[in-house]
Structure formats: C-alpha cells, structure tokens
Amino acid sequence: MRYIIIGAGAIGSTVAAQLHLAEVPVLLIARGEHGEAIRERGLRYFRPSGEQVVRVPVAGGAEEVELKPDDVLVLATKTQDTEAVLQEWSWRPAGDGVAADLPVVSLQNGLENERAALRRFRTVFGAALWQPATFVRAGEVSADGAEKPGIFWLGRYPSGDDPRLSGIAEDFRAADFAVQIVPDLVRWKAGKLLGNLGNAVEALYGRNERVTAQLQAEARRVFAAAGISAADLVAESEIPISLAKAVENSTRPRVGSSTSQSLARGRSVEGDFLNGEIVLLGRLHGVPTPLNEAVQHRLGLAAERQEQPGTADLDELPMAVPPVLISGEELARQLESADPPVLLDVRWALGDPHGHQHYLDGHIPGAVYVDLDTELAAPPVPTEGRHPLPDIDALQAAARRWGIREGSRVVAYDNGGNLAAARAWWLLRWAGVSDVRLLDGGLPAWGDRPLETGFGPSPEPGDVVLKPGNMPVIDMDEAGQFDGVLLDARAAERYRGEQEPVDPRAGHIPGAVSAPTGENLTADGHFRPVDELAARFSSLGADGDRVAVYCGSGVTAAHEVAALAVAGIEAALYPGSWSQWSNHPDRPVATGPNP
C-alpha cells in the first residue's frame, strides 16, 4: 500500500516522515511555502533523539498525483478544510475506478471528518490521536513525543472491524507509532474531543484547568443528551500514554496545541469543529453550552484579527461562571430536555419546622427535598454558630443521594424568595459544582404548571466528587479585622440592636454595614434587576475587590452573596455569622444605625 498524506501540518508531516523512514511507500501533499521548502530541501525533522532531513516525496495537489488501486488516502488537514479536500480528491481516477473507491483514514480532531468522508467514500477509517508535534516554520516539523512520535486508536467508522485495519496498523507500527485497533471509534473520538476543548483556552489565554474543566462538564452533558459515550483515553488505553509524552526542548520550545500553532502562523483555526461541535450538539438536543459558545466566538475573533497566542484577556470571557438565576420558563424547557437538571426543593424558614410537609403537599415534578438543618449544615454548636458548614464527606453523600453526578446542572428553589435555597446554591458552588442556579422567584415562578405531590421517585444515586474551597470564606478573626466592606444581611432592627429574637447578644460586628437581604428582592420575590442591585451595593460601598457578608447563621448571607454575584461582585461568606460572634463574650458589639 502507498499512503497519500493530504495535509502537511504537524500531524501529516510527522506521519509522512515516519513512514518514509520506515521505507513504507508514502506521498505527502504539501502546498505553499512549506511544500516548496520540502520539495527543494527536504523536511527538516526534529525528534527528541536528534535532527535529520527527510527527503519524503511531495506533491502540491491532486492534479499532480496518479492514484493507484492499492493507495490509501490519509486526511491530515484541519477539519475546516476537510470538505474542500474531499471535493478535490473523491472523484479523481484511481485505477479502473475513482478515489472514492479507495479507503480513507482520518487523522483529525473532532467528530465531523469521518461523517463528511462517508458521504463519498465507501470505506472510512479514523483515529483518535495522541501526537505532540509542532509546526510553525515552513519546511520544519518537530515530533515531540518521548519514546514514540504518537499513539493511534484506530478503527472503522462508525464502528466495527475490517480486515484492512490490520495492515494499516502494521504499517503505522513499522513507522514507530503505537497503535490500538478499537471497535467503537466514535467513543474514542469523543474522548479525544473532550481533551481538545482546552486547545482554544490555551491559545487565547494560556493553560487554565478551571475553565477547561467547565468546558468539559458542558460537553459531557451534551454527550449524555446526544447518546454519545466518551472513552477515557488514559484509563482505557492498552498503550501507556507516557510513551508519547511531550519532551520539552530548550532550543525548540513548543508553541502549544495545534490551535495555538495555527494562531501563531496566522491561519484559520478549528474551533468551530471542537468547541463548536459541542455548541452544535447542544443546540440540537436542547442543552445550553454558554461557555463553549463564548470560547468558540472569542477564538473566531482572534483568528480573524490575526492575534498571537496567549494575548487575549480572560476577563473578556463572559461565561466562565454560569449565571446565578434561571427563569420558570427556562427551567420548564430544561426539565423537558434529554438532560434535565437536578432539582432541589429547599423549603425552610426560621420558626417553621414543616418544610418537608410543604414539599409533600406539592413540589415541582422531579424535585428532591433537601433539609437545610441536617443536610446543608453541621449540628449547631454555640461557639461555631447555628448552621456551621457541613463536613464535606457528609455533604458529598447527601449530594449523591439527591442524584448529582459529575457535570450535573443543579437548580434550587424554595417558596420564600430563595432565602433558604441560596444556602444550597452557595454550598454546592463552594464544593465545586460549577453550574448551580436559583429559580428566580422561587416556587411561585413555576406559575400554574402542574405540581407533584408525595415523595416522588427516588433519584438515581449520583457520583459527584466534592472539593471545598471554590467560593471565598472568612472566619471570625477575619470578620473582626476585615479590610474591605463587611455587609450585615439581617433585618435593620437586628443590626441596630433593637431586637434579637435568636442569639444571646444584640447588635452587629463593629465596622459592618447594614444591608438587609430582603432589599435584594422585588415585591413578588424575584431578584431585583442587575442595574438596581449594582446601584444598591455601590451605595453601600460594596463595589470593590474586598466584600464579605454575614447574617444570623450564614443562611441568608448566602442569598446576599448570590445577589452580589448577580451584580457581578464576588463576595466572601462568614459562615459562623452573628450566631457565632455573639456567643463569644470577648468579641465587641456595636449598636445603632452606624457601623
């Protein structure tokens, strides 16, 4: 077999060089300055073991190639160029037939290439690749894998086996690639796509694991709705990934991912087929993908403006944190989608112990009841407060009982303006669940849609792993010496010390500013508009970098943190709040209307 490698970027040039060095017949299709350099001087090819010039045969396009019946076409272009390549090659003569009669192998990222090829080619193979390589200068390519230049998980598209796969795999192995034949190619391509979602982030802002994890969480929700299973390349591979781990070379530093390299060369980027693939699937299956959409959009602008890698400002990314609120209409739509959110009913109020009975009397269909006192707090201890933060293992066990899985979206509500539900919102975000929202307006926002009564079906247990520390907190000592704006979210009369119905002393922490939580809401229990909230907090001085909030026991303070987040202000929570402070006689107390 002869391999026609169409596309001479980092992947195509590496594959062509390795095949040629192994004396496997190969022809590289390379255009422009890069193609001319290879034609005239050979490919300057770098491996960790050293440098050599590879005189790989090269042609400029299909018109220069006489195809043979035993040729194999290998697609190694970027996905955005696939359609043009297929149009150029599919109906060229090949022996007694045409190129579309030949097998084609896609060595490309994303999920679109094999599907596009199958429209014309009877036999389509593909591979998920782990191949660190660099192409930024014409005539030069670095294959940076440690022991192997790359790993191929090779299969027939869309699935199944084919006797020709063994021969192709053997040729690639002879060229020093590690190869595993897989019967379910789409799973492996989907698993690789998850890894590729961070390419745009790296190209725009530099490596950012937090944003990449959020992109992947969106993608997993989309895959679940679309019925796509993604392989875990590291865990499921029969080939150790370390074989192709990138080796850094001080004389030839890596530019980064293929997307970074495309930006560096001023070329088009494949974001529309990586993050954009998630956006497309989300739109088709009714799953919102705001962060992937924002990244796709920003990468497209960077390519259009010919920006260099790493020059974008992460603050420009508008959806790095999901919104705080969701409307009743949007919740209803999402509950009918293939990937509904986990819905938490957190009805609780000071002095009302009947939250669970209210839930049984009627709740939004599919909602799970959450007990604030026992599931969203540790047992009360006077010196710690009435609602200390729960043990993280206990919170994780509860979250799994509620059905929260890795990547789940969560919506919480109550029937009192979300003054209690905000505790669930804050705790889950603090514990690392990135997409948690409050039903704006609470249960009344559900309107006249049907309610469910009784216990309802038990949710399938979740598998979420919670890790604390994802929302800022301050402790009692920090509250007493806070160097920013400390807001007291209790009613004004409690702040002034005129009454104290629960805790042992009346008044407020010296220096705190009165900011009653109820003033975040309209008369019907919805959060006030963003501009009104921003103006309110600005008038209180809470529009800088250092804002913290406390209340009676750390419950309604979470609501104020949510209101601040709606206004675009990050705030820390003092979990012990006044119930802890007032139980320490050595802590000073201020009264009256002033801080």
Side-chain angles (χ1 to χ4, degrees):
M1 290 186 291
R2 179 181 64 161
Y3 294 88
I4 312 296
I5 312 295
I6 305 171
I11 299 299
S13 294
T14 297
V15 172
Q18 291 292 141
L19 287 170
H20 182 72
L21 291 171
E23 300 183 353
V24 176
V26 63
L27 177 64
L28 178 63
I29 307 301
R31 303 179 189 274
E33 184 183 1
H34 185 54
E36 287 302 316
I38 299 172
R39 193 189 299 265
E40 294 175 9
R41 300 184 296 275
L43 175 68
R44 194 178 178 196
Y45 184 55
F46 298 85
R47 289 281 293 129
S49 57
E51 171 189 348
Q52 59 186 312
V53 174
V54 181
R55 297 284 180 177
V56 61
V58 63
E63 68 281 357
E64 298 181 21
V65 181
E66 182 179 346
L67 291 172
K68 303 173 183 178
D70 63 345
D71 282 340
V72 176
L73 301 184
V74 179
L75 303 183
T77 61
K78 292 292 191 293
T79 305
Q80 64 267 28
D81 300 321
T82 293
E83 184 59 29
V85 166
L86 293 172
Q87 289 182 14
E88 179 184 3
W89 286 85
S90 298
W91 309 116
R92 304 285 302 181
D96 294 331
V98 294
D101 299 325
L102 305 176
V104 62
V105 182
S106 167
L107 303 182
Q108 299 158 292
N109 289 323
L111 305 180
E112 181 60 28
N113 298 286
E114 292 84 1
R115 180 179 181 274
L118 196 62
R119 182 173 282 114
R120 298 176 175 89
F121 285 80
R122 182 179 298 109
T123 304
V124 177
F125 303 121
L129 272 68
W130 195 293
Q131 186 174 319
T134 304
F135 165 47
V136 291
R137 287 193 290 270
E140 300 181 8
V141 167
S142 297
D144 305 315
E147 298 180 45
K148 298 287 185 180
I151 301 171
F152 296 169
W153 293 280
L154 180 69
R156 178 159 187 164
Y157 182 82
S159 62
D161 197 7
D162 189 292
R164 287 167 288 188
L165 277 173
S166 296
I168 294 171
E170 285 307 310
D171 284 340
F172 284 154
R173 290 184 184 118
D176 204 31
F177 293 99
V179 182
Q180 176 181 340
I181 295 177
V182 297
D184 46 358
L185 177 66
V186 174
R187 286 187 66 247
W188 292 82
K189 300 285 286 193
K192 182 59 164 53
L193 177 56
L194 287 176
N196 289 138
L197 295 179
N199 288 9
V201 176
E202 180 193 67
L204 291 168
Y205 314 110
R207 290 178 62 86
N208 189 306
E209 293 183 1
R210 178 180 62 85
V211 176
T212 298
Q214 291 174 347
L215 292 168
Q216 292 170 340
E218 279 189 356
R220 288 188 176 92
R221 291 194 292 269
V222 167
F223 285 167
I228 297 173
S229 173
D232 184 331
L233 270 60
V234 174
E236 297 185 48
S237 176
E238 297 173 0
I239 302 166
I241 302 298
S242 59
L243 289 178
K245 182 179 179 180
V247 174
E248 296 296 334
N249 186 330
S250 58
T251 62
R252 295 183 62 81
R254 300 193 71 232
V255 173
S257 69
S258 58
T259 304
S260 295
Q261 294 173 38
S262 294
L263 275 187
R265 298 199 312 274
R267 298 301 177 88
S268 64
V269 294
E270 57 184 340
D272 291 345
F273 299 93
L274 301 179
N275 304 90
E277 181 69 30
I278 303 305
V279 173
L280 171 62
L281 289 171
R283 290 169 179 168
L284 289 173
H285 296 280
V287 179
T289 57
L291 187 56
N292 275 279
E293 186 171 345
V295 168
Q296 176 195 12
H297 181 268
R298 184 63 185 86
L299 181 63
L301 290 179
E304 180 69 20
R305 298 167 180 168
Q306 295 198 329
E307 297 176 10
Q308 284 298 297
T311 58
D313 184 352
L314 187 61
D315 291 339
E316 295 176 349
L317 194 59
M319 295 298 296
V321 176
V324 175
L325 306 176
I326 187 171
S327 68
E329 291 73 19
E330 176 63 15
L331 175 61
R333 189 185 71 81
Q334 290 191 16
L335 289 174
E336 293 175 355
S337 75
D339 179 40
V342 176
L343 190 57
L344 307 180
D345 186 311
V346 196
R347 275 183 267 185
W348 175 92
L350 192 63
D352 180 2
H354 305 298
H356 190 239
Q357 185 58 53
H358 299 323
Y359 166 84
L360 294 176
D361 291 341
H363 54 267
I364 298 175
V368 179
Y369 179 69
V370 175
D371 186 276
L372 188 146
D373 285 323
T374 62
E375 295 183 295
L376 301 180
V381 177
T383 55
E384 297 296 324
R386 284 184 278 115
H387 290 110
L389 296 185
D391 175 78
I392 192 65
D393 291 335
L395 181 61
Q396 177 175 286
R400 291 181 175 186
R401 286 197 304 274
W402 306 331
I404 300 179
R405 305 186 62 80
E406 288 296 322
S408 287
R409 290 173 291 155
V410 181
V411 176
Y413 72 89
D414 57 32
N415 61 348
N418 288 309
L419 296 179
R423 173 74 172 203
W425 169 86
W426 186 91
L427 268 178
L428 289 171
R429 284 205 171 177
W430 168 77
V433 181
S434 62
D435 194 347
V436 189
R437 308 190 194 190
L438 295 169
L439 174 57
D440 193 16
L443 184 59
W446 189 244
D448 58 1
R449 297 180 181 89
L451 295 177
E452 186 176 61
T453 59
F455 289 96
S458 298
E460 181 179 346
D463 61 2
V464 69
V465 176
L466 299 184
K467 297 178 181 178
N470 296 279
M471 295 282 275
V473 297
I474 61 171
D475 60 22
M476 185 166 57
D477 290 336
E478 291 170 314
Q481 304 172 23
F482 195 65
D483 60 355
V485 177
L486 180 63
L487 300 180
D488 185 319
R490 297 173 301 158
E493 57 270 22
R494 292 184 69 188
Y495 171 87
R496 294 191 296 265
E498 296 168 2
Q499 60 174 266
E500 181 46 65
V502 186
D503 296 312
R505 291 192 288 165
H508 59 266
I509 297 173
V513 177
S514 180
T517 297
E519 294 181 17
N520 298 324
L521 300 172
T522 61
D524 61 358
H526 287 76
F527 279 80
R528 289 165 63 179
V530 172
D531 56 347
E532 292 185 17
L533 287 172
R536 180 194 183 214
F537 292 124
S538 179
S539 71
L540 297 171
D543 54 1
D545 294 334
R546 293 285 291 164
V547 180
V549 187
Y550 75 93
C551 61
S553 67
V555 174
T556 56
H559 188 281
E560 190 120 295
V561 173
L564 284 154
V566 171
I569 303 166
E570 182 180 74
L573 178 74
Y574 169 26
S577 285
W578 187 249
S579 61
Q580 180 186 41
W581 186 278
S582 62
N583 271 289
H584 286 261
D586 59 321
R587 298 287 174 171
V589 171
T591 58
N594 299 317

